């Protein structure tokens, strides 16, 4: 597959196997906005959009013209960076997924100590924040939720747990997340939810997808 790979000042596009492209905007904010845009205006020839922490993997259809796909990506990226995003379709109304939480996690007190604030302040910040699912990983339905506010950034635990219950609400490395099923994990556990993040009986098993906005709500 022949692909143009010369980088621009703000967007790199590299081949990744026979039918994939790895897209890497220089700025994190650009990546977030570009993922949202690509899900609204999928370029012809793109089969799937798979974001990660700093890159986007685009898988192409079998008959895709990789040069045409790259040209369209650069066109969309230029339009995105224009003032007001002129020339782009308006985004659909924002849908916010609400997740009820009991703030009873075993690491909640430790998180408050790490941040130098009270437990109530941790809860207030977590529920006040509008989170966005940046990407899925680690386990099916495990969404890495990011925020423009850095106030709840804490490190992972020094020792990972061998078993974290499903529904555990956690913080680590600037992200929040909900464990969709029982698994090992090293994140700081601050609460629990009964909401099922992964359910094979649903049409869309994962409750979250990249771009989903999330608001945590404290349960009485």
């Amino acid at each position: 597959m022949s692909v143009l790979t010369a980088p621009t000042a703000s967007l790199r596009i590299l081949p990744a196997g026979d039918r994939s492209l790895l897209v890497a905007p220089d700025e994190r904010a650009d990546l977030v906005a570009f993922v949202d845009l690509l899900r609204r205006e999928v370029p012809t020839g793109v089969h799937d959009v798979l974001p990660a922490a700093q890159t986007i993997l685009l898988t192409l259809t079998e008959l895709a013209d990789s040069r045409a796909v790259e040209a369209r990506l650069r066109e969309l990226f230029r339009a995105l960076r224009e003032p007001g995003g002129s020339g782009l379709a308006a985004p659909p109304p924002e849908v916010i997924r609400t997740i009820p939480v009991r703030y009873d996690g075993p690491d909640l007190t430790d998180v408050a100590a790490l941040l130098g604030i009270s437990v109530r302040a941790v809860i207030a910040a977590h529920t006040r924040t509008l989170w966005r699912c940046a990407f899925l990983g680690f386990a099916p339905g495990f969404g890495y939720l990011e925020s423009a506010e850095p106030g709840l950034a804490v490190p992972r635990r020094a020792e990972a747990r061998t078993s974290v219950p499903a529904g555990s609400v956690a913080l680590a490395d600037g992200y929040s997340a909900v464990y969709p099923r029982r698994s090992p994990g090293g994140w700081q556990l601050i609460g629990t939810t009964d909401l099922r993040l992964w359910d094979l009986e649903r049409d869309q098993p994962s409750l979250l997808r990249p771009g989903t906005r999330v608001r945590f709500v404290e349960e009485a």
Side-chain angles (χ1 to χ4, degrees), residues 6 22 40 84 91 98 103 126-127 144 177-178 182 196 215-216:
L22 192 66
R40 300 198 308 271
T98 299
Y103 286 93
H126 196 247
T127 54
Y144 287 74
V178 179
R182 182 176 292 275
R196 299 187 67 177
R215 179 85 69 185
F216 293 100

Side-chain angles (χ1 to χ4, degrees), residues 12-63:
R12 289 178 293 126
I13 303 176
L14 303 170
D18 293 336
R19 290 204 303 271
S20 298
L21 296 175
L22 192 66
V23 180
D26 288 345
E27 300 292 335
R28 174 66 186 165
D30 287 340
L31 184 142
V32 170
F34 201 35
V35 168
D36 288 345
L37 174 59
L38 290 176
R39 292 198 175 279
R40 300 198 308 271
E41 301 193 25
V42 181
T44 301
V46 171
H47 173 67
D48 202 2
V49 179
L50 302 170
Q54 298 180 6
T55 60
I56 311 165
L57 181 67
L58 303 179
T59 57
L60 308 183
T61 61
E62 188 172 351
L63 300 179

Side-chain angles (χ1 to χ4, degrees), residues 188-208:
Q188 308 276 1
L189 306 184
I190 63 171
T192 54
T193 181
D194 294 327
L195 197 63
R196 299 187 67 177
L197 274 290
W198 178 262
D199 187 348
L200 290 174
E201 295 184 1
R202 291 195 294 250
D203 291 339
Q204 296 292 332
S206 179
L207 196 66
L208 305 179

Side-chain angles (χ1 to χ4, degrees), residues 60-165:
L60 308 183
T61 61
E62 188 172 351
L63 300 179
D65 180 340
S66 59
R67 287 179 176 269
V69 172
E70 179 171 349
R72 179 57 176 159
L73 290 172
R74 296 194 185 283
E75 179 184 359
L76 287 171
F77 192 73
R78 285 194 300 270
L80 180 68
R81 292 179 60 84
E82 290 178 359
S86 59
L88 299 177
E94 186 173 65
V95 176
I96 299 175
R97 180 76 65 184
T98 299
I99 298 180
V101 181
R102 295 181 299 278
Y103 286 93
D104 54 5
D107 300 322
L108 181 57
T109 301
D110 291 341
V111 166
L114 285 168
L115 296 173
I117 58 178
S118 68
V119 165
R120 286 308 311 171
V122 172
I123 296 171
H126 196 247
T127 54
R128 179 178 65 244
T129 298
L130 180 61
W131 300 88
R132 175 190 178 278
C133 181
F135 57 97
L136 299 175
F138 174 64
F142 189 101
Y144 287 74
L145 306 177
E146 63 181 2
S147 166
E149 301 179 24
L152 289 176
V154 293
R156 295 169 186 252
R157 286 170 48 87
E159 285 190 26
R161 292 181 170 91
T162 58
S163 181
V164 175

